[in-house]
Amino acid sequence: MLKNQYHVLGVMSGTSLDGIDLAEVFFTVDQGVWTYEFGHTQMLPYDEKREKAFLADLVSLNPEELDAADSRYSQFLGEQIKAFISKYNIQHLDAVCSHGHTALHRPDLGVTRQIGNQKRIAEISGQRVVCDFRVQDVALGGQGAPLVPIGDRLLFGAFDYCINLGGFANLSYEQDGLRIAYDLCPVNIILNKLVEPLGLDYDDGGKIAQSGTVNDELLKQLNGLDYYAQEPPKSLGLEWVRSEIHKKFKLNELTPADALATFVEHMAYQIAKPLKEESKVLFTGGGAHNEYLLQRIESYKSLKITVPDKQLIEYKEALIFALLGVLKLRDEVNCLASVTGASKDHSSGLIFNANI
């Protein structure tokens, strides 16, 4: 008989390379209605010269090197999870539910690869681990992304749209009884790169972007990229960013402020474009702190925007991967064909027991 309460740890590492998000979550399900409460949460920043540099170079690795990277990152992740559990004296977990870190995402070639999905994590942490949620979907003909929309449906159905502003902007909404979701555009994966010449990690509140001047020619080039004309399901990866976005900025030498202003305008246009006027929109992810970006989005559409408390802004993806793991434990659908384009809805992920 299935339980109606679960105590799990959600673990997320995103493309913006900020660090690892860990969220202790308590779930309750009552007649198909899911509710949650956060326990302890923490973001563990990546070391600039070790983990961050190592993860930023993953797309250049060959298969053997990726296997080694997987082992290295699994060891690191297991140690961080064990330390977090010990620090907060967390007891009686049903599972650790981990996204891993995206090393390669080319669903058009039938390939996606997350590192940090080895049984070693379960052995080090002493916990049952649910992980590697994307591979099965790609094998079924899907994009393997985005995976968050099932959580949007089950936990945040009161909103017309859920938008996460992380490394990329992801949109999720209901249409004719189906959940539709796709990547809108890059966000922090570019914004954070553009402030590096200034010795900063991010543009606080979008203040630097607000001080700059939009380059109309570059804005036109960005908005004209082929991806934006494609119909969903579709998703973005680091490979696309490097081949399409970085190239555009190299060809248009701008000051950091003007580059930021131009890219914020590009993001605002792409994010607002599919939204209906006066709709209720939940914004989460690190980009939700960018007040200037939200202002520019509202300049295109009149919206009822909700920016929740800091904990949900920063840990929503960890929360939802915790839910994906619980759904896998229950052998229930956690991956929607209407979102990814897979041949069917399915319950994705691997389960490793600690055997300790």
Side-chain angles (χ1 to χ4, degrees):
M1 184 171 176
L2 293 175
K3 298 168 52 171
N4 65 354
Q5 292 185 321
Y6 294 87
H7 178 203
V8 294
L9 181 64
V11 184
M12 177 70 197
S13 175
T15 49
S16 55
L17 298 180
D18 295 331
I20 304 168
D21 293 331
L22 299 109
E24 179 188 17
V25 187
F26 300 87
F27 287 111
T28 299
V29 57
D30 183 8
Q31 297 182 338
V33 177
W34 289 86
T35 54
Y36 72 91
E37 288 185 14
F38 280 116
H40 298 286
T41 54
Q42 186 176 359
M43 195 278 275
L44 302 175
Y46 286 130
D47 181 272
E48 189 76 31
K49 295 182 179 179
R50 292 199 305 269
E51 295 84 36
K52 197 169 183 177
F54 158 66
L55 294 172
D57 194 44
L58 292 174
V59 294
S60 68
L61 303 184
N62 63 39
E64 292 77 16
E65 290 169 333
L66 270 179
D67 288 341
D70 192 2
S71 296
R72 172 180 168 180
Y73 189 68
S74 294
Q75 178 78 22
F76 171 76
L77 207 53
E79 291 169 355
Q80 299 304 312
I81 291 167
K82 181 179 180 180
F84 178 84
I85 291 171
S86 176
K87 176 180 180 178
Y88 295 108
N89 193 29
I90 295 173
Q91 305 285 333
H92 310 301
L93 281 173
D94 290 297
V96 172
C97 312
S98 179
H99 169 269
H101 188 88
T102 303
L104 178 66
H105 187 65
R106 288 296 304 274
D108 54 316
L109 302 179
V111 176
T112 189
R113 178 73 184 266
Q114 265 61 43
I115 62 169
N117 284 307
Q118 294 184 351
K119 189 176 190 295
R120 186 76 182 125
I121 299 173
E123 295 168 349
I124 295 170
S125 65
Q127 303 292 331
R128 177 165 55 174
V129 172
V130 189
C131 60
D132 212 5
F133 295 100
R134 299 186 188 275
V135 173
Q136 179 175 295
D137 189 77
V138 172
L140 290 170
Q143 291 278 312
L147 298 182
V148 167
I150 184 69
D152 290 338
R153 169 183 278 179
L154 296 177
L155 300 178
F156 304 104
F159 294 92
D160 298 313
Y161 301 98
C162 293
I163 298 178
N164 185 72
L165 301 174
F168 297 93
N170 322 114
L171 171 71
S172 168
Y173 61 99
E174 294 287 327
Q175 179 175 288
D176 300 326
L178 296 175
R179 196 77 190 178
I180 307 298
Y182 55 96
D183 288 342
L184 289 167
C185 61
V187 180
N188 294 330
I189 196 170
I190 294 293
L191 294 181
N192 295 351
K193 187 78 175 173
L194 293 177
V195 297
E196 284 182 359
L198 302 174
L200 300 172
D201 293 325
Y202 59 92
D203 180 9
D204 186 15
K207 295 183 181 69
I208 301 171
Q210 192 168 9
S211 73
T213 301
V214 173
N215 182 293
D216 292 332
E217 179 56 33
L218 177 56
L219 179 62
K220 182 179 178 180
Q221 292 174 19
L222 292 169
N223 285 331
L225 290 170
D226 290 343
Y227 177 82
Y228 299 121
Q230 296 173 16
E231 293 296 320
K234 58 181 180 177
S235 60
L236 291 169
L238 178 58
E239 301 86 353
W240 181 87
V241 167
R242 287 186 170 180
S243 66
E244 299 292 343
I245 304 293
H246 288 179
K247 181 171 63 177
K248 295 287 188 293
F249 278 96
K250 285 178 182 176
L251 294 173
N252 294 266
E253 295 183 8
L254 305 176
T255 66
D258 290 353
L260 286 162
T262 303
F263 200 74
V264 165
E265 200 65 26
H266 166 63
M267 291 188 300
Y269 175 75
Q270 294 300 333
I271 291 168
K273 186 166 62 172
L275 308 182
K276 293 180 179 178
E277 294 277 357
E278 301 301 328
S279 53
K280 294 182 288 184
V281 187
L282 176 68
F283 279 101
T284 53
H289 295 300
N290 192 320
E291 297 170 6
Y292 180 59
L293 172 58
L294 297 182
Q295 289 172 20
R296 296 310 304 148
I297 292 170
E298 287 191 282
S299 76
Y300 287 101
K301 294 279 176 71
S302 177
L303 304 168
K304 298 173 183 175
I305 287 178
T306 295
V307 177
D309 63 80
K310 184 178 180 181
Q311 193 171 45
L312 182 55
I313 287 175
E314 297 182 355
Y315 295 98
K316 178 173 176 259
E317 286 191 297
L319 162 70
I320 291 184
F321 274 94
L323 178 61
L324 290 178
V326 169
L327 293 171
K328 177 63 180 178
L329 293 176
R330 293 168 61 89
D331 197 28
E332 294 178 355
V333 168
N334 64 3
C335 203
L336 299 170
S338 64
V339 169
T340 68
S343 57
K344 62 180 179 179
D345 292 345
H346 55 103
S347 187
S348 189
L350 300 176
I351 301 174
F352 295 121
N353 291 313
N355 296 329
I356 293 176

